[in-house]
Amino acid sequence: MNVLDHTLNLTGAGPRKNFESERILEKNKHQLFHRTDRLIASLICLQWPAAIFAALMLSPRTWDGAISHVHPHLLLAVYLGGLFSIPPVLLAFLRPGETYTRHITAACQMLMSGLLIHISGGRLETHFHVFGSLTFLAFYLDWTVLVTATLVTLADHAVMGYFSPAAIFGTSAASGERLLEHILWVLFFDAFLITSCVQSLKALRAVARREADQDVLLYHAYHDALTGLGNRLQIQKTLNELRLDRRKDRELFALIAVDLDRFKEVNDTLGHEVGDKILKQASQRLQEHIRKTDLLVRMGGDEFAIVLNDGVTLKLAEGIARRILEGMNKPFLCEGHAIRLGASLGICLREKECSADADLFQHADLALYKAKNNGRNNFVVFDELMRAETLRLMSLENRLRAAVVEKTLKIHYQPIVNSEAEMLGFEALLRWTDHLHGSVSPADFIPMAERTGLIIPLGRWVLQEACLQASLWLNSGRQLEKMSVNVSSLQLAHTEFIATVLSALKESGLPPEKLDLELTESTLIKNHGQTFKTLEFLRKFGVKLSIDDFGTGYSSLSYLRELPVHTLKIDRAFMQDIVDSTEARLLVEGMVEMAHSLHLRVVGEGVETQEQMNILAQVGCDEIQGFLISRAVPAEEARQMLACRVEEHGEQVTSRMDLHEAWA
């Protein structure tokens, strides 16, 4: 087994690559036959006037001031020469490369040689024309063609009388010697030529096969096996060629990075086979929306890249990006499924004098990253201002991953009191201070954790730590009615969410009724059927459930009646105008009455002034939470608050600092 076969076996693509090698080999042979057909046809056309010239010069004529009689040799040269010339020419242009074209061309060439011998009267030099014709036909590299040529030659010589009884049994010694010499020449020369052709064919076929195998390997090195598009090596080669190209219309070119949205969901739900079919369809759509001069490659997975390399402008690149987005937004039909994906694109324009190709890829990826952060299904053009922002986000994401693994985030606890300022419990809130980025707002890192999937391990850790802390406070004799923990839609949809909650309660020893899981309205609506089953199980187990930020989502009474929740938390947005706006106060009052009619408790979030707290108490709000009570504080400060109670003793507490000092 040679090295090539060993390589093909290792890659598992031996039969396919051998088939492709044979296909390339046959293609090369066809091209060779095509060229040889036309070349020999052209030479036959040149031999036709040569035969006519030989007939005029060598054939006897009568001349009476004008041609009064034409010798038969001249007629043979004109008519038979044309008859032998026309078929090869027609076949060479109408049926080039066909097997019968080669054999007919060989036969016509040998008949043309016989015609020249006959016209010249059997001159010795014309006999050598036969062997020259055979040698030239050997360029076909087809020994069967030489056999046909030999048989036609022998038949032609028989017609011309070389094998007549007079030639064989004649008394003339010279004629017998010429016959014997002729037979030996034909047999030995033709046999030698055919044998040589067979041996040459074997050697040439081996060389051609190796070259074909190398072409196949080279093709696969520069192309994607699934889609047939180019790959990373192909695009790097193209960009290098563009960088060296000195033409004016290519001084500016562009790279577009394309990433399919939600493709992972297709692979996870419908399987990789469907995913592969979607990738093929996507590659075809991308090809339809770019120009013939542009290059489309698959970088890997669901990532593609496009090189715009001819007459590029920003307007042109943006127009192509819009067409791609429009095409990708149409559903993909596959095995009875109508699948909608969309795409995100990053565009980077580059002049030849700019930095290396690696920077071009990086800039396009940065623009793509920004497009995904902007909500996906759009495109972003790279500029220098984007670099710092995108690099900061990428650095922040990397630091967040490290923080989740190393558990360097902190949990602070914000108090929740009743309308009489009695401590009820806390809401566990994440805080993150990074040594590179400083204090990072939850509004920045929580969405990032959800987008990257880090919210699953992060949420599990928060739940475990909050339950453990609440259990420690209870075991130390502190009074605590609830520990609230926020839950995202990804956590709730996770298959191990119930097991995570039960494990946190079991390991910490916290009674289930002390745990209050807070979910937003949008979280409760997503996958309503499965959500309801999960929440119903937890409610039966004793866990309390709250709707967080009520009023900012769907606010539908129908799902409030169906979902097994215990508490509504009115969003802080409704607290801003509750003091000065009668409408805002009536709205909050209506929410409280509605919740009470459904036997739900109500928590007012974002309370910052005593006036807001007084109004909430007047409308019957059950619990209060906000900066007026306290910011979220570390566990030790929260522990100290548990034993305290705010008593105003007739004095108005006018600032959250006074209230915080009262807790302390």
Side-chain angles (χ1 to χ4, degrees), residues 344-547:
S344 300
L345 286 73
I347 304 174
C348 179
L349 272 70
R350 179 183 186 272
E351 295 182 357
K352 291 187 179 180
E353 292 75 13
C354 291
S355 53
D357 293 337
D359 294 332
L360 184 66
F361 282 105
Q362 183 186 25
H363 295 169
D365 287 339
L366 289 176
L368 176 63
Y369 186 84
K370 181 67 176 293
K372 286 187 171 294
N373 284 341
N374 289 348
R376 301 186 179 186
N377 198 33
N378 62 87
F379 69 87
V380 171
V381 180
F382 175 81
D383 57 43
E384 291 299 328
L385 295 177
M386 185 189 304
R387 184 200 300 269
E389 178 186 358
T390 308
L391 290 177
R392 185 187 71 85
L393 291 176
M394 295 177 69
S395 173
L396 195 64
E397 180 178 327
N398 292 332
R399 294 299 304 162
L400 179 60
R401 291 182 183 276
V404 171
V405 173
E406 299 168 5
K407 299 180 180 180
T408 57
L409 288 89
K410 303 295 183 183
I411 301 177
H412 287 194
Y413 300 89
Q414 187 173 34
I416 302 174
V417 301
N418 60 18
S419 58
E420 297 178 356
E422 295 176 339
M423 177 67 69
L424 299 177
F426 296 91
E427 178 181 359
L429 298 171
L430 267 176
R431 296 293 182 263
W432 181 29
T433 301
D434 183 68
H435 72 274
L436 289 179
H437 299 279
S439 179
V440 184
S441 171
D444 291 332
F445 72 81
I446 293 296
M448 182 177 291
E450 292 180 338
R451 186 179 64 254
T452 58
L454 291 173
I455 195 66
I456 301 299
L458 184 59
R460 183 188 307 115
W461 176 75
V462 171
L463 187 61
Q464 293 170 346
E465 290 295 312
C467 290
L468 181 60
Q469 186 63 72
S471 180
L472 290 175
W473 287 336
L474 285 173
N475 294 336
S476 63
R478 306 294 182 181
Q479 294 184 357
L480 182 72
E481 293 188 15
K482 64 191 302 185
M483 172 61 75
S484 296
V485 179
N486 291 285
V487 176
S488 74
S489 59
L490 292 178
Q491 288 178 267
L492 188 60
H494 198 265
T495 55
E496 298 181 357
F497 178 68
I498 292 178
T500 298
V501 174
L502 299 184
S503 175
L505 292 173
K506 180 180 179 180
E507 293 177 3
S508 64
L510 181 69
E513 61 273 11
K514 300 295 184 181
L515 177 61
D516 188 352
L517 300 180
E518 297 188 5
L519 308 102
T520 61
E521 294 180 80
S522 58
T523 298
L524 295 171
I525 293 300
K526 290 180 180 178
N527 196 12
H528 180 272
Q530 186 61 40
T531 297
F532 181 84
K533 294 179 182 179
T534 301
L535 297 182
E536 182 64 26
F537 178 88
L538 293 175
R539 188 186 70 82
K540 290 181 179 180
F541 192 75
V543 177
K544 298 294 189 298
L545 304 169
S546 298
I547 297 179

Side-chain angles (χ1 to χ4, degrees), residues 48 83 85 122 137 175 205 293 314 322 339 341 366 394 444 469 519 527 628:
W48 185 15
L83 182 63
S85 300
L137 290 174
S175 62
R205 181 178 291 273
T293 57
L314 178 58
R322 291 189 182 93
I339 304 169
L341 294 179
L366 289 176
M394 295 177 69
D444 291 332
Q469 186 63 72
L519 308 102
N527 196 12
L628 174 67

Side-chain angles (χ1 to χ4, degrees), residues 180-381:
L180 179 60
E181 181 181 357
H182 178 73
I183 294 174
L184 291 175
W185 269 98
V186 171
L187 292 180
F188 284 99
F189 185 84
D190 289 11
F192 173 77
L193 196 60
I194 292 173
T195 304
S196 299
C197 186
V198 171
Q199 296 299 322
S200 299
L201 276 174
K202 291 181 179 179
L204 291 174
R205 181 178 291 273
V207 173
R209 185 179 299 280
R210 286 196 296 270
E211 292 179 351
D213 289 337
Q214 291 174 0
D215 290 341
V216 171
L217 292 174
L218 187 63
Y219 176 86
H220 285 294
Y222 282 92
H223 289 80
D224 173 58
L226 177 64
T227 62
L229 300 175
N231 56 16
R232 290 179 180 270
L233 291 178
Q234 179 68 47
I235 197 172
Q236 290 172 356
K237 177 183 176 183
T238 300
L239 290 175
N240 185 57
E241 291 173 353
L242 287 172
R243 184 167 51 83
L244 299 176
D245 197 336
R246 300 299 180 184
R247 285 180 288 179
K248 289 290 184 180
D249 59 348
R250 295 196 174 185
E251 289 183 352
L252 183 67
F253 53 93
L255 176 67
I256 302 179
V258 182
D259 190 85
L260 302 183
D261 296 335
R262 297 179 295 277
F263 178 75
K264 186 178 183 300
E265 300 174 12
V266 175
N267 261 352
D268 293 342
T269 56
L270 300 179
H272 291 281
E273 184 176 352
V274 174
D276 289 345
K277 293 180 179 179
I278 294 297
L279 287 175
K280 292 180 181 179
Q281 292 185 36
S283 64
Q284 293 171 359
R285 289 192 187 182
L286 290 171
Q287 195 74 56
E288 292 172 357
H289 292 94
I290 62 177
R291 304 169 302 171
K292 292 182 179 180
T293 57
D294 300 329
L295 173 68
L296 171 65
V297 303
R298 182 186 176 209
M299 302 294 286
D302 61 341
E303 299 178 4
F304 297 84
I306 301 170
V307 178
L308 308 180
N309 55 16
D310 188 12
V312 177
T313 62
L314 178 58
K315 183 178 180 181
L316 172 68
E318 291 179 342
I320 291 176
R322 291 189 182 93
R323 292 198 299 270
I324 290 174
L325 289 177
E326 182 179 352
M328 290 297 141
N329 282 328
K330 296 178 181 179
F332 292 87
L333 302 179
C334 185
E335 297 187 359
H337 301 282
I339 304 169
R340 292 188 178 273
L341 294 179
S344 300
L345 286 73
I347 304 174
C348 179
L349 272 70
R350 179 183 186 272
E351 295 182 357
K352 291 187 179 180
E353 292 75 13
C354 291
S355 53
D357 293 337
D359 294 332
L360 184 66
F361 282 105
Q362 183 186 25
H363 295 169
D365 287 339
L366 289 176
L368 176 63
Y369 186 84
K370 181 67 176 293
K372 286 187 171 294
N373 284 341
N374 289 348
R376 301 186 179 186
N377 198 33
N378 62 87
F379 69 87
V380 171
V381 180

Side-chain angles (χ1 to χ4, degrees), residues 93-109:
F93 286 93
L94 298 179
R95 290 291 185 270
E98 298 291 343
T99 301
Y100 58 83
T101 298
R102 298 196 295 276
H103 287 273
I104 293 175
T105 299
C108 289
Q109 174 60 40

